[in-house]
Coordinates of all heavy atoms in Angstrom, one line a residue:
M1 N 13.9 0.5 -24.5 CA 13.8 1.6 -25.4 C 14.8 2.7 -24.9 O 14.8 3.1 -23.7 CB 12.4 2.1 -25.4 CG 12.1 3.2 -26.3 SD 10.3 3.4 -26.4 CE 10.3 5.2 -26.7
Q2 N 15.5 3.3 -25.8 CA 16.5 4.3 -25.4 C 15.9 5.7 -25.7 O 15.4 6.0 -26.8 CB 17.8 4.1 -26.2 CG 18.9 5.0 -25.8 CD 20.2 4.7 -26.4 OE1 20.3 3.6 -27.0 NE2 21.2 5.6 -26.2
N3 N 16.1 6.6 -24.8 CA 15.7 8.0 -24.9 C 16.9 8.7 -25.5 O 17.9 8.8 -24.8 CB 15.3 8.6 -23.6 CG 14.9 10.0 -23.6 OD1 15.0 10.6 -24.7 ND2 14.5 10.6 -22.5
N4 N 16.8 9.2 -26.7 CA 18.0 9.9 -27.4 C 18.1 11.3 -27.1 O 18.9 12.0 -27.7 CB 18.0 9.6 -28.9 CG 18.3 8.2 -29.2 OD1 19.1 7.6 -28.5 ND2 17.7 7.6 -30.2
Q5 N 17.3 11.8 -26.1 CA 17.4 13.3 -25.8 C 18.6 13.5 -24.9 O 18.7 13.0 -23.8 CB 16.1 13.7 -25.1 CG 16.1 15.2 -24.9 CD 14.7 15.6 -24.4 OE1 13.9 14.8 -24.0 NE2 14.5 16.9 -24.4
E6 N 19.5 14.3 -25.4 CA 20.8 14.6 -24.7 C 20.5 15.5 -23.5 O 19.8 16.5 -23.7 CB 21.8 15.2 -25.6 CG 23.2 15.2 -25.0 CD 24.3 15.5 -26.1 OE1 24.2 16.6 -26.6 OE2 25.1 14.7 -26.3
T7 N 21.1 15.3 -22.4 CA 21.1 16.1 -21.2 C 22.4 16.1 -20.6 O 23.4 15.5 -21.1 CB 19.9 15.6 -20.3 OG1 19.8 16.5 -19.2 CG2 20.2 14.2 -19.8
T8 N 22.5 16.7 -19.4 CA 23.8 16.7 -18.7 C 23.7 15.8 -17.5 O 22.7 15.5 -17.0 CB 24.2 18.1 -18.3 OG1 23.2 18.7 -17.5 CG2 24.5 19.0 -19.5
L9 N 24.9 15.3 -17.0 CA 25.0 14.3 -16.0 C 24.3 14.8 -14.7 O 23.8 14.1 -13.9 CB 26.5 14.0 -15.7 CG 26.8 12.7 -15.0 CD1 26.1 11.5 -15.6 CD2 28.3 12.5 -15.0
D10 N 24.4 16.1 -14.4 CA 23.8 16.7 -13.1 C 22.3 16.6 -13.1 O 21.7 16.8 -12.0 CB 24.3 18.1 -12.9 CG 23.8 19.1 -13.9 OD1 24.0 18.8 -15.1 OD2 23.2 20.1 -13.6
T11 N 21.6 16.3 -14.2 CA 20.2 16.2 -14.2 C 19.6 14.9 -13.8 O 18.4 14.7 -13.7 CB 19.6 16.7 -15.6 OG1 20.0 15.7 -16.5 CG2 20.0 18.1 -15.9
L12 N 20.5 13.8 -13.7 CA 20.0 12.5 -13.4 C 19.5 12.5 -12.0 O 19.9 13.2 -11.1 CB 21.2 11.5 -13.5 CG 21.7 11.2 -14.9 CD1 22.8 10.1 -14.8 CD2 20.7 10.8 -15.9
K13 N 18.5 11.6 -11.8 CA 18.0 11.3 -10.4 C 18.5 10.0 -9.9 O 18.9 9.2 -10.7 CB 16.5 11.3 -10.5 CG 15.9 12.6 -11.1 CD 14.5 12.9 -10.6 CE 14.0 14.2 -11.1 NZ 14.8 15.1 -11.8
P14 N 18.6 9.8 -8.6 CA 19.2 8.6 -8.1 C 18.5 7.4 -8.7 O 17.3 7.3 -8.8 CB 18.9 8.7 -6.6 CG 18.9 10.1 -6.3 CD 18.3 10.8 -7.5
G15 N 19.3 6.4 -9.1 CA 18.9 5.2 -9.8 C 18.8 5.3 -11.3 O 18.7 4.3 -12.0
E16 N 18.8 6.5 -11.8 CA 18.8 6.6 -13.3 C 20.1 6.3 -13.9 O 21.2 6.6 -13.4 CB 18.4 8.1 -13.7 CG 16.9 8.4 -13.6 CD 16.6 9.7 -14.2 OE1 17.2 10.7 -14.0 OE2 15.5 9.7 -14.9
K17 N 20.1 5.7 -15.1 CA 21.3 5.3 -15.9 C 21.3 6.1 -17.2 O 20.3 6.4 -17.7 CB 21.3 3.8 -16.1 CG 21.3 3.0 -14.9 CD 21.2 1.5 -15.2 CE 21.2 0.7 -13.9 NZ 21.2 -0.7 -14.1
A18 N 22.6 6.3 -17.6 CA 22.7 7.0 -18.9 C 24.0 6.5 -19.5 O 24.8 5.9 -18.9 CB 22.8 8.5 -18.6
R19 N 24.2 6.9 -20.8 CA 25.4 6.7 -21.6 C 26.1 8.0 -21.9 O 25.4 8.9 -22.4 CB 25.1 5.9 -22.8 CG 26.3 5.5 -23.6 CD 26.1 4.4 -24.6 NE 25.8 3.2 -23.9 CZ 24.8 2.3 -24.2 NH1 24.1 2.6 -25.2 NH2 24.7 1.2 -23.5
I20 N 27.3 8.1 -21.6 CA 28.1 9.4 -21.8 C 28.2 9.6 -23.3 O 28.6 8.7 -24.0 CB 29.4 9.3 -21.1 CG1 29.2 9.2 -19.6 CG2 30.2 10.6 -21.5 CD1 30.5 9.0 -18.8
T21 N 28.0 10.8 -23.8 CA 28.1 11.2 -25.2 C 29.3 12.1 -25.4 O 30.0 11.9 -26.4 CB 26.9 11.8 -25.8 OG1 26.5 13.0 -25.0 CG2 25.7 10.8 -25.8
K22 N 29.6 13.0 -24.5 CA 30.8 13.9 -24.6 C 31.1 14.5 -23.2 O 30.3 14.7 -22.4 CB 30.6 14.9 -25.7 CG 29.4 15.8 -25.6 CD 29.3 16.7 -26.8 CE 27.9 17.2 -26.9 NZ 27.3 17.3 -28.1
V23 N 32.4 14.7 -23.1 CA 32.9 15.3 -21.8 C 33.6 16.6 -22.2 O 34.5 16.7 -22.9 CB 34.0 14.3 -21.2 CG1 34.6 14.9 -19.9 CG2 33.4 13.0 -20.9
R24 N 33.0 17.7 -21.6 CA 33.5 19.0 -21.9 C 34.2 19.7 -20.7 O 34.4 20.9 -20.6 CB 32.4 19.9 -22.3 CG 31.8 19.5 -23.6 CD 32.0 20.5 -24.7 NE 31.7 20.0 -26.0 CZ 30.5 20.3 -26.7 NH1 29.6 21.1 -26.1 NH2 30.4 19.8 -27.9
V25 N 34.6 18.9 -19.7 CA 35.3 19.3 -18.5 C 36.7 19.8 -19.0 O 37.4 19.2 -19.8 CB 35.5 18.2 -17.5 CG1 36.3 18.7 -16.3 CG2 34.1 17.7 -17.1
K26 N 37.2 20.9 -18.4 CA 38.4 21.6 -18.8 C 39.5 21.3 -17.7 O 39.2 21.0 -16.6 CB 38.3 23.1 -18.9 CG 37.2 23.5 -19.9 CD 37.6 23.2 -21.3 CE 36.6 23.7 -22.3 NZ 36.4 22.9 -23.4
G27 N 40.8 21.5 -18.1 CA 41.9 21.5 -17.2 C 42.3 20.1 -16.7 O 42.0 19.1 -17.4
T28 N 42.9 20.1 -15.6 CA 43.4 18.8 -15.0 C 42.3 17.8 -14.7 O 42.5 16.6 -14.7 CB 44.3 19.0 -13.8 OG1 43.6 19.7 -12.8 CG2 45.6 19.9 -14.2
A29 N 41.2 18.3 -14.3 CA 40.1 17.5 -14.0 C 39.7 16.6 -15.2 O 39.3 15.4 -15.0 CB 38.9 18.3 -13.5
R30 N 39.8 17.1 -16.4 CA 39.5 16.3 -17.6 C 40.3 15.1 -17.7 O 39.7 14.0 -17.9 CB 39.7 17.2 -18.8 CG 39.4 16.5 -20.1 CD 39.6 17.5 -21.3 NE 39.4 16.9 -22.6 CZ 38.2 16.8 -23.2 NH1 37.1 17.4 -22.6 NH2 38.0 16.2 -24.3
R31 N 41.6 15.2 -17.5 CA 42.4 14.0 -17.6 C 42.1 13.0 -16.5 O 42.1 11.8 -16.7 CB 43.9 14.4 -17.5 CG 44.9 13.3 -17.6 CD 44.9 12.8 -19.1 NE 45.4 11.5 -19.1 CZ 45.3 10.7 -20.1 NH1 44.8 11.1 -21.3 NH2 45.8 9.4 -20.1
K32 N 41.9 13.5 -15.3 CA 41.5 12.6 -14.2 C 40.2 11.8 -14.4 O 40.1 10.6 -14.2 CB 41.4 13.4 -12.9 CG 42.7 13.9 -12.3 CD 42.6 14.7 -11.1 CE 43.9 15.3 -10.6 NZ 43.8 16.1 -9.5
L33 N 39.2 12.5 -15.0 CA 38.0 11.9 -15.3 C 38.2 10.8 -16.4 O 37.6 9.7 -16.3 CB 36.9 12.9 -15.7 CG 36.4 13.8 -14.6 CD1 35.5 14.9 -15.1 CD2 35.7 13.0 -13.5
F34 N 38.9 11.1 -17.4 CA 39.2 10.2 -18.5 C 39.9 8.9 -17.9 O 39.6 7.8 -18.2 CB 40.1 10.8 -19.6 CG 39.3 11.6 -20.6 CD1 40.0 12.4 -21.4 CD2 38.0 11.6 -20.6 CE1 39.4 13.2 -22.4 CE2 37.3 12.4 -21.6 CZ 38.0 13.2 -22.4
D35 N 40.9 9.2 -17.0 CA 41.6 8.0 -16.4 C 40.7 7.1 -15.6 O 40.9 6.0 -15.4 CB 42.8 8.5 -15.5 CG 43.9 9.1 -16.3 OD1 43.9 8.9 -17.6 OD2 44.7 9.8 -15.7
M36 N 39.6 7.7 -15.0 CA 38.7 7.0 -14.2 C 37.5 6.4 -15.0 O 36.6 5.8 -14.5 CB 38.1 7.9 -13.1 CG 39.2 8.2 -12.1 SD 38.6 9.2 -10.7 CE 38.5 10.8 -11.4
G37 N 37.6 6.4 -16.3 CA 36.6 5.8 -17.2 C 35.5 6.7 -17.7 O 34.5 6.2 -18.3
M38 N 35.5 8.0 -17.4 CA 34.5 8.9 -17.8 C 34.7 9.3 -19.2 O 35.2 10.4 -19.5 CB 34.5 10.1 -16.8 CG 33.3 11.0 -17.0 SD 31.8 10.7 -16.0 CE 32.3 10.6 -14.3
V39 N 34.4 8.4 -20.1 CA 34.6 8.6 -21.6 C 33.3 8.4 -22.3 O 32.4 7.7 -21.9 CB 35.8 7.7 -22.1 CG1 37.1 8.1 -21.4 CG2 35.4 6.3 -21.9
A40 N 33.3 8.9 -23.5 CA 32.1 8.7 -24.4 C 31.9 7.2 -24.6 O 32.8 6.5 -24.8 CB 32.3 9.4 -25.7
G41 N 30.6 6.8 -24.5 CA 30.2 5.4 -24.7 C 30.1 4.7 -23.4 O 29.5 3.6 -23.3
A42 N 30.6 5.2 -22.3 CA 30.5 4.5 -21.0 C 29.2 4.7 -20.4 O 28.5 5.8 -20.4 CB 31.6 5.0 -20.0
D43 N 28.7 3.6 -19.7 CA 27.4 3.7 -19.0 C 27.6 4.2 -17.6 O 28.7 3.8 -17.0 CB 26.7 2.3 -19.0 CG 26.2 1.9 -20.4 OD1 26.1 2.8 -21.3 OD2 25.9 0.7 -20.5
I44 N 26.7 5.0 -17.1 CA 26.9 5.6 -15.7 C 25.5 5.6 -15.0 O 24.5 5.7 -15.7 CB 27.6 7.0 -15.9 CG1 28.0 7.5 -14.5 CG2 26.7 7.9 -16.6 CD1 28.9 8.7 -14.6
E45 N 25.6 5.5 -13.7 CA 24.3 5.5 -12.9 C 24.5 6.4 -11.7 O 25.6 6.4 -11.1 CB 24.0 4.1 -12.4 CG 22.8 4.1 -11.5 CD 22.6 2.7 -10.9 OE1 23.3 1.8 -11.2 OE2 21.6 2.5 -10.1
L46 N 23.5 7.3 -11.4 CA 23.6 8.1 -10.2 C 23.2 7.3 -9.0 O 22.1 6.8 -9.0 CB 22.7 9.4 -10.4 CG 22.7 10.3 -9.1 CD1 24.1 10.9 -8.8 CD2 21.7 11.4 -9.3
I47 N 24.1 7.2 -8.1 CA 23.8 6.5 -6.8 C 23.1 7.4 -5.8 O 22.0 7.1 -5.4 CB 25.1 5.9 -6.2 CG1 25.8 5.0 -7.2 CG2 24.7 5.1 -4.9 CD1 25.0 3.8 -7.7
R48 N 23.7 8.5 -5.5 CA 23.1 9.5 -4.6 C 23.8 10.8 -4.7 O 24.9 10.9 -5.1 CB 23.1 8.9 -3.2 CG 24.5 8.8 -2.6 CD 24.5 8.3 -1.2 NE 25.8 7.7 -0.9 CZ 26.0 6.4 -0.6 NH1 24.9 5.6 -0.7 NH2 27.2 6.0 -0.4
N49 N 23.0 11.8 -4.1 CA 23.6 13.2 -4.0 C 24.0 13.3 -2.5 O 23.3 12.7 -1.6 CB 22.5 14.2 -4.3 CG 22.1 14.2 -5.8 OD1 23.0 14.1 -6.6 ND2 20.8 14.4 -6.0
A50 N 24.9 14.2 -2.2 CA 25.3 14.5 -0.9 C 24.1 15.3 -0.3 O 23.3 15.8 -1.0 CB 26.5 15.4 -0.8
P51 N 24.0 15.4 1.0 CA 22.8 16.1 1.6 C 22.6 17.5 1.1 O 21.4 17.9 0.9 CB 23.2 16.2 3.1 CG 24.1 15.0 3.3 CD 24.9 14.8 2.0
L52 N 23.6 18.2 0.7 CA 23.4 19.6 0.2 C 23.5 19.6 -1.4 O 23.6 20.6 -2.0 CB 24.5 20.6 0.7 CG 24.4 20.8 2.2 CD1 25.5 21.7 2.7 CD2 23.0 21.3 2.6
G53 N 23.5 18.4 -2.0 CA 23.5 18.3 -3.4 C 24.8 18.2 -4.1 O 24.9 18.0 -5.3
D54 N 25.9 18.4 -3.4 CA 27.2 18.4 -4.0 C 28.2 17.8 -3.0 O 28.3 18.2 -1.9 CB 27.6 19.8 -4.3 CG 28.6 20.0 -5.4 OD1 28.9 19.0 -6.1 OD2 29.2 21.1 -5.5
P55 N 29.0 16.8 -3.4 CA 29.1 16.2 -4.7 C 28.1 15.1 -5.0 O 27.2 14.8 -4.1 CB 30.5 15.5 -4.6 CG 30.7 15.1 -3.2 CD 29.9 16.2 -2.4
M56 N 28.1 14.6 -6.2 CA 27.2 13.5 -6.6 C 28.0 12.2 -6.8 O 29.1 12.3 -7.3 CB 26.5 13.9 -7.9 CG 25.9 15.3 -7.8 SD 25.3 15.9 -9.4 CE 23.7 15.2 -9.5
E57 N 27.4 11.1 -6.3 CA 28.1 9.8 -6.4 C 27.5 9.0 -7.5 O 26.3 8.8 -7.6 CB 27.9 9.1 -5.1 CG 28.6 7.7 -5.1 CD 28.5 7.0 -3.8 OE1 27.9 7.5 -2.9 OE2 28.9 5.8 -3.8
Y58 N 28.4 8.5 -8.4 CA 28.0 7.7 -9.6 C 28.7 6.4 -9.6 O 29.7 6.2 -8.9 CB 28.4 8.5 -10.9 CG 27.8 9.8 -11.1 CD1 28.4 11.0 -10.6 CD2 26.5 9.9 -11.7 CE1 27.8 12.2 -10.8 CE2 25.9 11.1 -11.9 CZ 26.5 12.3 -11.4 OH 25.9 13.5 -11.6
R59 N 28.1 5.4 -10.2 CA 28.7 4.1 -10.5 C 29.1 4.1 -11.9 O 28.2 4.3 -12.8 CB 27.8 3.0 -10.1 CG 28.4 1.6 -10.4 CD 27.5 0.4 -10.1 NE 26.3 0.9 -9.4 CZ 25.7 0.3 -8.4 NH1 26.2 -0.8 -7.9 NH2 24.7 0.8 -7.8
I60 N 30.3 3.8 -12.2 CA 30.8 3.7 -13.6 C 31.9 2.6 -13.6 O 32.8 2.6 -12.8 CB 31.4 5.1 -14.1 CG1 31.8 5.0 -15.6 CG2 32.5 5.6 -13.2 CD1 32.0 6.3 -16.2
K61 N 31.7 1.7 -14.6 CA 32.7 0.6 -14.8 C 33.0 -0.1 -13.5 O 34.1 -0.5 -13.2 CB 34.0 1.2 -15.4 CG 33.7 1.8 -16.7 CD 35.0 2.0 -17.6 CE 34.6 2.6 -18.9 NZ 35.4 2.3 -19.9
G62 N 31.9 -0.4 -12.7 CA 32.0 -1.2 -11.5 C 32.5 -0.6 -10.3 O 32.7 -1.2 -9.3
Y63 N 32.8 0.7 -10.3 CA 33.2 1.4 -9.0 C 32.4 2.7 -8.8 O 31.8 3.2 -9.8 CB 34.7 1.6 -9.0 CG 35.3 2.5 -10.0 CD1 35.5 3.9 -9.7 CD2 35.6 2.1 -11.2 CE1 36.0 4.8 -10.6 CE2 36.2 3.0 -12.2 CZ 36.3 4.3 -11.8 OH 36.9 5.2 -12.7
H64 N 32.5 3.3 -7.6 CA 31.8 4.5 -7.3 C 32.8 5.7 -7.4 O 33.9 5.6 -7.0 CB 31.3 4.4 -5.9 CG 30.2 3.4 -5.8 ND1 29.0 3.7 -5.1 CD2 30.0 2.2 -6.2 CE1 28.2 2.7 -5.2 NE2 28.8 1.7 -5.8
L65 N 32.3 6.8 -8.0 CA 33.0 8.0 -8.2 C 32.2 9.2 -7.8 O 31.0 9.3 -8.2 CB 33.4 8.0 -9.7 CG 34.0 9.3 -10.3 CD1 35.4 9.5 -9.7 CD2 34.0 9.2 -11.8
S66 N 32.7 10.0 -7.0 CA 32.0 11.3 -6.6 C 32.7 12.5 -7.3 O 33.9 12.6 -7.3 CB 32.1 11.5 -5.1 OG 31.4 10.5 -4.4
I67 N 31.8 13.3 -8.0 CA 32.3 14.5 -8.6 C 31.4 15.6 -8.3 O 30.2 15.4 -7.9 CB 32.4 14.3 -10.2 CG1 31.0 14.0 -10.8 CG2 33.3 13.2 -10.6 CD1 31.0 14.1 -12.3
R68 N 31.9 16.8 -8.5 CA 31.1 18.0 -8.2 C 30.1 18.3 -9.2 O 30.2 17.9 -10.4 CB 32.1 19.2 -8.1 CG 33.0 19.1 -6.9 CD 33.7 20.4 -6.8 NE 34.4 20.4 -5.5 CZ 35.6 20.8 -5.3 NH1 36.3 21.4 -6.3 NH2 36.1 20.8 -4.1
K69 N 29.0 18.9 -8.8 CA 27.9 19.2 -9.7 C 28.4 20.1 -10.9 O 28.0 20.0 -12.0 CB 26.8 19.9 -8.9 CG 25.5 19.9 -9.6 CD 24.4 20.4 -8.7 CE 23.2 19.5 -8.8 NZ 22.1 19.8 -7.9
E70 N 29.3 21.0 -10.6 CA 29.9 21.9 -11.6 C 30.6 21.1 -12.7 O 30.4 21.4 -13.9 CB 31.0 22.8 -10.9 CG 31.7 23.7 -11.8 CD 32.8 24.5 -11.1 OE1 32.6 24.8 -9.9 OE2 33.8 24.7 -11.7
E71 N 31.3 20.0 -12.4 CA 31.9 19.1 -13.4 C 30.8 18.3 -14.1 O 30.9 18.1 -15.3 CB 32.9 18.2 -12.8 CG 34.1 19.0 -12.2 CD 35.0 18.1 -11.3 OE1 34.5 17.1 -10.8 OE2 36.2 18.4 -11.2
A72 N 29.8 17.8 -13.4 CA 28.7 17.0 -14.0 C 28.0 17.8 -15.0 O 27.4 17.2 -16.0 CB 27.8 16.5 -12.9
R73 N 27.9 19.1 -14.9 CA 27.2 20.0 -15.9 C 27.9 20.0 -17.2 O 27.3 20.3 -18.2 CB 27.1 21.4 -15.4 CG 26.0 21.6 -14.3 CD 25.8 23.1 -14.0 NE 25.0 23.2 -12.8 CZ 25.5 23.6 -11.6 NH1 26.7 24.1 -11.5 NH2 24.7 23.6 -10.6
D74 N 29.2 19.6 -17.2 CA 29.9 19.6 -18.5 C 30.1 18.2 -19.1 O 30.9 18.0 -20.0 CB 31.3 20.2 -18.2 CG 31.3 21.7 -17.9 OD1 30.3 22.4 -18.4 OD2 32.2 22.2 -17.2
I75 N 29.3 17.3 -18.6 CA 29.3 15.9 -19.1 C 28.0 15.6 -19.7 O 27.0 15.7 -19.0 CB 29.7 14.9 -18.0 CG1 31.1 15.2 -17.5 CG2 29.6 13.5 -18.6 CD1 31.5 14.5 -16.3
F76 N 27.9 15.3 -21.0 CA 26.7 15.1 -21.7 C 26.3 13.7 -21.8 O 27.2 12.9 -22.1 CB 26.7 15.8 -23.1 CG 26.8 17.3 -23.0 CD1 28.0 17.9 -22.8 CD2 25.7 18.1 -23.1 CE1 28.2 19.3 -22.7 CE2 25.8 19.5 -23.0 CZ 27.0 20.1 -22.7
V77 N 25.1 13.3 -21.6 CA 24.6 11.9 -21.6 C 23.3 11.8 -22.3 O 22.5 12.7 -22.5 CB 24.5 11.4 -20.2 CG1 25.8 11.4 -19.4 CG2 23.4 12.2 -19.4
N78 N 23.0 10.5 -22.7 CA 21.7 10.1 -23.1 C 21.2 9.2 -22.1 O 21.8 8.2 -21.7 CB 21.7 9.4 -24.5 CG 21.9 10.3 -25.6 OD1 21.5 11.5 -25.6 ND2 22.5 9.8 -26.7
K79 N 20.0 9.4 -21.5 CA 19.4 8.6 -20.5 C 19.0 7.2 -21.1 O 18.6 7.1 -22.3 CB 18.2 9.2 -19.9 CG 18.5 10.4 -19.0 CD 17.2 10.9 -18.4 CE 17.5 12.2 -17.6 NZ 16.3 12.7 -16.9
L80 N 19.2 6.1 -20.3 CA 18.9 4.8 -20.8 C 17.5 4.4 -20.2 O 17.1 4.8 -19.2 CB 20.0 3.8 -20.4 CG 21.4 4.1 -20.9 CD1 22.3 3.0 -20.4 CD2 21.3 4.0 -22.4

């Protein structure tokens, strides 16, 4: 069963999976995230947070990617 309530990537808890709906990151970081597969329709899972909560490590398209919480707030997802 899919939960269609949209939230942001920074609200996921370790082990939770979601599907990206839109990416609102600005500047050069936007292009880098797109190049790494962070696009609408991609499935993503939070692996863990750093001890102080930033950065956050995600699994997307078979590899691990760490991004800052500030960027994660601009990525919208639907939890799976």
